[in-house]
Amino acid sequence: MTEQFLIGTYTKKESKGAYMVTLDTDKGELKDVELAIPSQKPAYLQVGPKQRVYAIKQVDDQAGVASYNMVDGKAETISTFLEEGPAPAYVGLDEQRHLLYSANYHTAKTQVFKVAEDGALTLVDSVTHQGETGPEPEQDAPHAHYADLTPDQRLIVCDLGMDLIVVYDVSDEGKLTAVSRFKFEPGFGTRHLIFHPNGKYVYVLGELSSKLAVLKYNDADASFEHLQTIKTIPADWTAHNGAAAIRMSKDGKFIYTSNRGENTIAVFEVQADFTVKHIQSISTEGDFPRDFNLSSDESYLVASNQNTDNLTLYKRDAETGKLTMVQKDVKCPEPVCVQRF
């Protein structure tokens, strides 16, 4: 059996766009890393129905988002939305309302695009975060870093600069109305998050603090209750580290986070009260693991090392949640996003 992953990249060095890589699940190996979407800076992307891909895009001094049809592993551009300024950091897909969301770290802007049946993109709303920021040097301004759906189909945005998550109601037309916010400890550096499959708990990753926070979510009013905060790195770690990506197993039993600096995947076991216990940290066999993802049956995990231009493959034990490295040094230029295709 084989399955494919689409790797979003920066294009500062050798990368030419987004790459497709094949996982052979029988042999336990990654192979055939090939350019799939020639583009400048497709650093984050989402794969939608009908093999349609939505990705960040940059063209010289303009940046935004683009949609593509994938035909035989190659991209056909459908639609592009560009404006002056830096590129977004994240795109999220709303299949139910046919919307695409982008979060822009540099401008603190969250944008909403209507996705037509043919994949064409139209900007329908935009909000810009303003307000008090945190104490760290990276928190010089608000920095929207993530915009995606809650289980009850609201939009939740992480703001790294403000140590904040904001929840918005979303109309069918894509208009946003803020309904709640939750402020973390100063310097937490809210980056990415993931909800438990039961929809009642959310696990929020702090980039600047290298911490994982556990919150209980009340969908009646989109409010949050803090339950736990735990480090993603050892207590005695003193060198620089930035927590990056977070994923969860479908059964809700295990959480995985990446550490850029310690260069590890940290594994957490979800307890009966939905708090977490750290059970493993394993090397990514490279430098600066910005993202990773599980295979469709969750028997493998693919990690990307941005600075060393390589992918690493792990076998995953479904019972214990722990990882075993089975392949390293798979060449892929500047990999920063890993999505199942």
Side-chain angles (χ1 to χ4, degrees):
M1 294 287 290
T2 62
E3 72 174 279
Q4 292 179 304
F5 291 82
L6 200 52
I7 311 296
T9 76
Y10 283 129
T11 51
K12 298 176 182 178
K13 301 184 295 182
E14 296 179 11
S15 175
K16 304 299 183 186
Y19 291 76
M20 197 79 78
V21 60
T22 299
L23 168 62
D24 187 322
T25 56
D26 295 328
K27 295 182 178 179
E29 70 173 6
L30 296 171
K31 59 184 182 181
D32 302 331
V33 179
E34 297 177 348
L35 182 63
I37 304 176
S39 178
Q40 189 178 344
K41 202 180 182 180
Y44 209 90
L45 49 84
Q46 297 281 0
V47 179
K50 302 177 182 177
Q51 296 192 325
R52 190 170 285 162
V53 175
Y54 305 87
I56 293 166
K57 185 177 180 69
Q58 184 171 320
V59 179
D60 300 325
D61 294 331
Q62 292 189 315
V65 294
S67 56
Y68 304 90
N69 277 328
M70 300 299 293
V71 180
D72 297 326
K74 300 298 180 184
E76 297 177 351
T77 303
I78 303 169
S79 180
T80 301
F81 176 90
L82 299 175
E83 56 187 356
E84 292 292 326
Y90 186 94
V91 289
L93 187 59
D94 183 340
E95 295 179 18
Q96 182 174 311
R97 285 176 292 233
H98 306 292
L99 299 172
L100 183 74
Y101 308 103
S102 69
N104 195 306
Y105 178 93
H106 300 281
T107 64
K109 190 182 294 184
T110 300
Q111 293 183 311
V112 187
F113 302 87
K114 195 71 177 178
V115 182
E117 189 171 340
D118 65 356
L121 303 173
T122 304
L123 179 67
V124 292
D125 204 4
S126 178
V127 296
T128 303
H129 285 179
Q130 295 176 316
E132 181 183 355
T133 57
E136 300 299 324
E138 298 91 340
Q139 297 179 305
D140 56 325
H143 293 302
H145 213 312
Y146 171 99
D148 220 322
L149 295 177
T150 64
D152 57 342
Q153 299 300 300
R154 291 173 166 127
L155 183 71
I156 186 167
V157 177
C158 292
D159 193 303
L160 180 143
M162 300 177 72
D163 298 315
L164 191 69
I165 51 177
V166 185
V167 179
Y168 297 88
D169 280 339
V170 186
S171 73
D172 288 341
E173 294 74 35
K175 299 297 183 182
L176 302 180
T177 305
V179 290
S180 74
R181 55 171 49 199
F182 183 89
K183 191 95 168 176
F184 293 84
E185 63 189 73
F188 183 79
T190 322
R191 180 183 171 94
H192 279 197
L193 58 81
I194 195 162
F195 277 83
H196 192 277
N198 67 18
K200 298 178 180 179
Y201 297 87
V202 60
Y203 300 85
V204 186
L205 196 58
E207 173 182 333
L208 305 181
S209 59
S210 298
K211 291 180 178 179
L212 174 62
V214 184
L215 309 179
K216 187 174 183 180
Y217 177 64
N218 180 3
D219 59 13
D221 59 0
S223 63
F224 299 92
E225 175 190 352
H226 177 262
L227 301 181
Q228 180 192 25
T229 299
I230 185 173
K231 294 287 283 187
T232 65
I233 52 175
D236 60 357
W237 182 266
T238 57
H240 177 267
N241 187 76
I246 182 168
R247 308 282 184 180
M248 186 177 220
S249 57
K250 294 174 190 173
D251 59 13
K253 293 182 178 180
F254 301 99
I255 289 173
Y256 302 83
T257 70
S258 63
N259 287 303
R260 298 170 301 173
E262 189 192 29
N263 295 331
T264 59
I265 302 293
V267 186
F268 299 86
E269 182 181 51
V270 178
Q271 307 298 290
D273 63 357
F274 298 98
T275 61
V276 298
K277 175 185 177 184
H278 177 260
I279 59 171
Q280 184 188 25
S281 288
I282 186 169
S283 171
T284 59
E285 305 294 337
D287 184 34
F288 224 64
R290 187 176 289 262
D291 198 17
F292 62 91
N293 214 330
L294 295 162
S295 61
S296 55
D297 67 357
E298 302 191 333
S299 61
Y300 290 94
L301 183 146
V302 179
S304 64
N305 292 295
Q306 177 187 336
N307 290 349
T308 44
D309 303 316
N310 67 302
L311 308 175
T312 305
L313 181 66
Y314 305 85
K315 185 74 174 169
R316 176 180 175 270
D317 187 311
E319 293 298 315
T320 67
K322 292 185 177 181
L323 304 174
T324 303
M325 194 274 293
V326 293
Q327 187 186 18
K328 61 181 179 177
D329 300 325
V330 179
K331 184 171 176 52
C332 182
E334 304 173 73
V336 294
C337 177
V338 183
Q339 295 286 13
R340 290 192 297 269
F341 182 71

